[in-house]
Structures are given as C-alpha cells and as structure tokens.
C-alpha cells in the first residue's frame, strides 16, 4: 500500500479523536468553566451539528477543486479548530473551536476515500479505503481512552494540544506523500440532489439519525454514569472506554457481515437488541460487573448498525453516491446531537445519571418503528450509472427488498461500501 494512505489514516485518527475525545473529559471541562453537565454536553452536540452542516454544504462547495489541495485546506481548518480549543479562555471560545474543527470532518472522509482509491490499482481500492478509515476506528478503540487519560493527568487542554500536533503531522504527510489528484469532472450537483426526491432515501437518513441518536444519547454522559452510579473511580474511565471501543470494532465488522446477508432484517434485529441492551444497562448500572458487560455490548451492538445504515442509503441513491454519503454522515451526527441534547434535558430535569440510558433506549425504539414503517413504502431504486456506487442490474423503476441479492453477478453478496463510525 502507498505510504500516503498512512497520512490519510493519521488524519482520520485525529478527526475521530477530536469528535469523541471530549466525552471522557466532560467532568473536567464542566468544573473548569463552572458550567452544568448538560451545558458541557453541548460540546458534543455542537460538534455533531457542525459536522452535519459541513458534510453537505462544504462537500458541495469543494466538489470541483483539486482533491489534494482540498485535503490540505481541510487539515489546516482542523488544526486551527483544535488550537482554538486548546487555548480557549472561556466556554464559548471552546465551543467555537469545536465548530471550526467539525466543519472539515465529513468532507475529509468523503474526499479522502476517493483519493485513497485513486492511489492504488482497481482491485485494491476497497483495502485502501479501509486503511484510511482504520484511523477513525483506531481513535474509537485507543485514541479516545488515551486522550481521556492524557487529559486527566495533564489537564483537558493537553488532549487538544496533542490532537493539534497530530493534525500538523498529518498535514505534512499529505503534502509530501499524497500524489496530486485532478479535480473531478462531469458531476452535476443538481443530479446528485435529485436522489433526495425518493422517500426511501429520507427513511434511511431518519433511521440513521435515530439509531445513532439512541446510542450516543446514552454514551455522551457515560463518564458521569460510570463514576456517579456504577461507583468506578475517575481513573478507571479511560480503560472502560477501551472496552467500549473494542466493542465498536467488533460490532462494525459483524454488522457488515449481517447487512450483506439480509439488510433490513439485520437492521431490525440490531435496533431491537440495542434497545434491550440500553434498558438492561439502565436497570443494572449500580452493578460494576453488569456495567462492564453492558458497556461492551453497547459498543458492539450500537456500531453494528453503521454498515447497514450506510449500505441502505447508498442502495436507494446509487446515481448520487457523493451527496448520499455526505447526507448519511450528516445524519449520523444529527443523531449524535439529538441524543446528547435529549439526554441533557433529562439530566437537567433531575432524572439522574441513569436517565441518558433510558433516553437512548427510547430513541432507538423510535428508529425501529421508522424502519418498520419504511418497509411498506415503495422500494424504488435507480439503474446503475457510470461512477455510481453499488451497481444494480435492475431496470429503471424496479422494485424489491434490500434483503434480496442485487449484485450484478448474482453471487449473493452485494458490494458493501467501507464504512466506519462517522
């Protein structure tokens, strides 16, 4: 594999660490700026909403520019945002830094995946994209708990300083190791947006919002649950987050396998199981043993939805893969913001540190209901067009269930885009 892929992976690692590294540091940030837990949680939801805006708006704005230059500009924006966060003298400045850093998130992964694929032979493109996204997965498994540990030992600002350094190294790596990539041609923004006329595209986005809203409604305030309810020491939180990260790694892999076999069926089963896991976690959070088991399952089951959610929206927007991917990244992060906001309301209302788990279970159950309702809508998809993802051998206007084999070869395994947690 070209060494330039490592630079892209490092950029993905830094972005993943920026998004979720703050979760383990919320108690310190809240204490430092004398704000409440729900207000501190806005640092998560504010970031997520900014990712959603950037994933669609910024991606559309930069579509015609040289991709390498775009990546360099996005990493510069990322560095600036984390530098602002590291030196923030007040809570509003920290929020501003989070917003600036978030704007590059969706566009970086959208453009970076195309660049990664162009750096290798056609038969190795999936592996190249997977290597780039490995940076994001590594941030979930190792980066977040290590960032939390660093923040606990040297202050929460040290984590943002470390992320800033990672961004500088990634910028230099992209500058030196990633070859120039010509600007794309023949792409019509109007044509891409036409995919959003289809009800199933909106259903897919709504399911994504609710699925991830449920999981991150529970996860945003997990540091408070672990210390105030389960009775774990603050110093153990990073290691418990390693456990959660390990669960997400396994869940993402297994969820992809299940989605390839039966998309809607597997999504329904996973959402139902996640609802049960969150409810059991809420009921048994005072037990350290059950908390450890529930935390692992929450990561595994929650992230098992990601491949299927990505595959679903791509299947119904095959002629508009760029905007569909951007829309799904936006939906992931709108869900993150929604879950964090609703859980913050529950905490602010005095329902206790277990309430985010109940909020998460309720949102996930709503996602299951939307999936069930969407199954009765027309399953119209689009014929394959040059450059579109997930080629389809059907004729225009064909109908069918996503649980059927729609691969051109009839192999029983439709192509699945490489995805990781947005």
């Amino acid at each position: 594999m070209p060494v330039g892929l490592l630079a892209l992976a490092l950029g993905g690692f830094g972005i993943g660490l920026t998004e979720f590294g703050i979760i383990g540091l919320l108690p310190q940030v809240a204490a430092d700026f004398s704000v409440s837990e729900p207000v501190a949680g806005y640092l998560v939801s504010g970031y997520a909403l900014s990712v959603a805006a950037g994933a669609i708006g910024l991606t559309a704005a930069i579509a015609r520019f040289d991709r390498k230059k775009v990546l360099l500009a996005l990493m510069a924006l990322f560095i600036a945002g984390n530098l602002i966060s590291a030196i923030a003298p007040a809570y509003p400045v920290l929020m501003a830094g989070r917003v600036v850093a978030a704007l590059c998130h969706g566009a970086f992964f959208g453009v970076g995946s195309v660049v990664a694929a162009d750096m290798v032979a056609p038969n190795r493109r999936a592996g190249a994209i997977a290597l780039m996204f490995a940076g994001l997965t590594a941030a979930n498994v190792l980066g977040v708990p290590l960032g939390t540990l660093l923040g606990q030992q040297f202050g929460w600002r040290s984590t943002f300083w470390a992320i800033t350094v990672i961004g500088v190294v990634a910028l230099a790596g992209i500058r030196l190791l990633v070859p120039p990539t010509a600007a794309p041609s023949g792409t019509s923004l109007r044509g891409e947006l036409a995919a959003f006329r289809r009800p199933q595209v909106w259903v897919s986005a709504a399911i994504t919002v609710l699925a991830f809203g449920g999981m991150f409604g529970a996860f945003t305030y997990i540091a408070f649950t672990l210390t105030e309810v389960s009775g774990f020491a603050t110093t153990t939180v990073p290691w418990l987050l390693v456990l959660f990260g390990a669960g997400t790694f396994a869940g993402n892999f297994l969820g992809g396998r299940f989605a390839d076999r039966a998309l809607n069926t597997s999504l329904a089963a996973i959402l139902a199981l996640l609802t049960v896991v969150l409810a059991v976690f809420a009921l048994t959070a005072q037990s350290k043993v059950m908390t450890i088991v529930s935390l692992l399952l929450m990561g595994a089951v929650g992230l098992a939805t990601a491949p299927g959610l990505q595959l679903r929206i791509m299947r119904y927007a095959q002629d508009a893969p760029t905007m569909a991917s951007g829309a799904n990244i936006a939906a992931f992060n709108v869900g993150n913001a929604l879950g964090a906001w609703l859980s913050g309301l529950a905490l602010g209302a005095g329902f206790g540190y277990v309430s985010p788990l109940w909020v998460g279970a309720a949102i996930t159950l709503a996602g299951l209901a939307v999936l069930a309702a969407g199954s009765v809508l027309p399953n119209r998809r689009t014929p394959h067009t040059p450059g579109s993802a997930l080629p389809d051998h059907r004729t225009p206007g064909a109908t069918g269930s996503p649980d059927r084999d729609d691969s051109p070869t009839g192999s029983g395994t439709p192509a699945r885009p490489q995805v990781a947690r947005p």
Side-chain angles (χ1 to χ4, degrees), residues 163-420:
I163 297 171
T164 301
V165 172
I166 291 172
V168 171
V169 176
L171 177 66
I174 293 171
R175 175 68 181 83
L176 297 173
L177 303 175
V178 174
T181 305
S185 60
T187 299
S188 167
L189 180 59
R190 182 177 180 181
E192 294 260 338
L193 292 175
F196 294 95
R197 298 174 184 170
R198 299 165 200 146
Q200 285 290 358
V201 172
W202 288 101
V203 168
S204 298
I207 297 169
T208 297
V209 168
L210 295 171
F212 266 66
M215 190 182 74
F216 283 98
F219 185 63
T220 298
Y221 298 97
I222 198 65
F224 296 105
T225 306
L226 295 175
T227 56
E228 302 298 328
V229 180
S230 304
F232 287 101
T234 302
T235 54
T236 65
V237 171
W239 310 114
L240 291 171
L241 293 179
V242 170
L243 188 66
F244 175 85
T248 65
F249 183 83
N252 191 47
F253 173 76
L254 293 174
R257 296 286 297 273
F258 297 147
D260 275 340
R261 295 177 182 176
L263 179 56
N264 277 341
T265 301
S266 66
L267 278 176
I270 293 168
L271 288 173
L273 182 57
L274 180 58
T275 302
V276 173
V277 168
L278 293 176
V280 171
F281 195 171
L283 292 171
T284 61
Q286 293 182 340
S287 166
K288 290 184 177 180
V289 173
M290 286 302 300
T291 293
I292 291 173
V293 173
S294 297
L295 194 62
L296 177 63
L297 289 176
M298 186 172 77
V301 180
L303 261 294
T305 61
L309 293 170
Q310 180 76 354
L311 179 59
R312 195 181 198 280
I313 198 169
M314 293 291 285
R315 280 190 172 183
Y316 291 111
Q318 294 171 17
D319 54 339
T322 303
M323 288 304 297
S325 293
N328 210 42
I329 291 173
F332 279 124
N333 287 276
V334 169
N336 295 352
L338 175 67
W341 176 63
L342 292 177
S343 293
L345 290 180
L347 284 175
F351 290 111
Y353 293 115
V354 171
S355 61
L357 296 168
W358 287 116
V359 170
I363 298 173
T364 304
L365 187 61
L368 181 60
V370 171
L371 176 61
S375 66
V376 302
L377 293 176
N379 289 336
R380 183 174 63 85
R381 291 181 285 170
T382 54
H384 176 59
T385 56
S388 68
L390 297 172
D392 192 337
H393 66 291
R394 293 179 178 274
T395 56
T399 61
S401 168
D403 283 354
R404 293 180 54 182
D405 169 28
D406 290 305
S407 61
T409 61
S411 63
T413 304
R416 173 166 56 89
Q418 297 290 334
V419 296

